Amino acid sequence: MPISIDEFETTPEPKLRPPAAGAENADRVLALLTERRDEAFTPAEICQRTGVPKGSVGVVLARLEDRGLVRHRGAYWTVARADRARTATRR
């Protein structure tokens, strides 16, 4: 969608860039796991509840785990414990 020249000239450059690839999917997965922090989900369940494509869920979860934001045991995933999530966001 095009923008006006005024918007082009006045909007800070970072706001004119598209979001990082997969950022929306990661936001959706993390929102689900944060809102339902008392439960753990399989990748298939995360796919069903978030609408994130089946082939993307595993990649998203792995990246969130690398950042210390989620954790898993076996086939189940949940949000990271609060003490570890705070440390991970400081990286």
Side-chain angles (χ1 to χ4, degrees):
M1 169 187 274
I3 61 173
S4 70
I5 291 300
D6 289 338
E7 188 176 355
F8 174 83
E9 296 291 347
T10 60
T11 304
E13 189 173 341
K15 290 193 175 204
L16 294 174
R17 293 186 183 131
E24 183 179 316
N25 288 343
D27 290 343
R28 289 166 36 195
V29 169
L30 194 54
L32 168 70
L33 296 179
T34 300
E35 290 168 8
R36 314 260 325 243
R37 64 177 55 250
D38 58 334
E39 298 175 273
F41 300 89
T42 65
E45 292 166 334
I46 292 168
C47 173
Q48 291 172 343
R49 292 172 183 260
T50 62
V52 172
K54 183 178 175 181
S56 298
V57 171
V59 173
V60 167
L61 288 168
R63 289 180 180 161
L64 291 172
E65 184 180 35
D66 287 347
R67 294 174 48 202
L69 299 174
V70 300
R71 59 194 171 109
H72 75 98
R73 293 187 68 199
Y76 289 87
W77 292 80
T78 190
V79 70
R81 292 187 298 240
D83 58 331
R84 293 197 177 160
R86 276 194 301 272
T87 304
T89 57
R90 292 185 194 148
R91 289 185 197 176

